[in-house]
Amino acid sequence: MPTVRTFVSAFTVLCGARTDLPDRHVCCVFWLNIAAALIQILTAIVMVGWIMSIFWGMDMVILASYKEQGIPQQL
């Protein structure tokens, strides 16, 4: 959800919203906000993939320990 707000803030700058960068041109602030939103999207994708790989790794370790102990596995 923060990404949507960042995109909205980028367009509000074009409509005259005040920014923390008064010495920058409006177009520069707009593109900085767009870049920040895109970086947030890419970071979210990477974080989800990283968390999923941790869970898959934990599942593999658990299944391997079941096999080592001779416990029947249910998939």
Side-chain angles (χ1 to χ4, degrees), residues 8-18 26 30:
V8 170
S9 73
F11 288 102
T12 59
V13 168
L14 293 177
C15 296
R18 286 182 295 178
V26 174
F30 170 76

Side-chain angles (χ1 to χ4, degrees), residues 61-75:
V61 169
I62 290 169
L63 288 174
S65 68
Y66 284 162
K67 186 175 182 179
E68 185 177 284
Q69 295 172 3
I71 299 173
Q73 301 173 10
Q74 294 180 351
L75 297 176

Side-chain angles (χ1 to χ4, degrees), residues 19-40:
T19 67
D20 291 338
L21 303 169
D23 55 333
R24 300 267 184 166
H25 192 267
V26 174
C27 288
C28 179
V29 176
F30 170 76
W31 286 113
L32 284 172
N33 281 336
I34 293 293
L38 292 174
I39 289 170
Q40 287 174 356

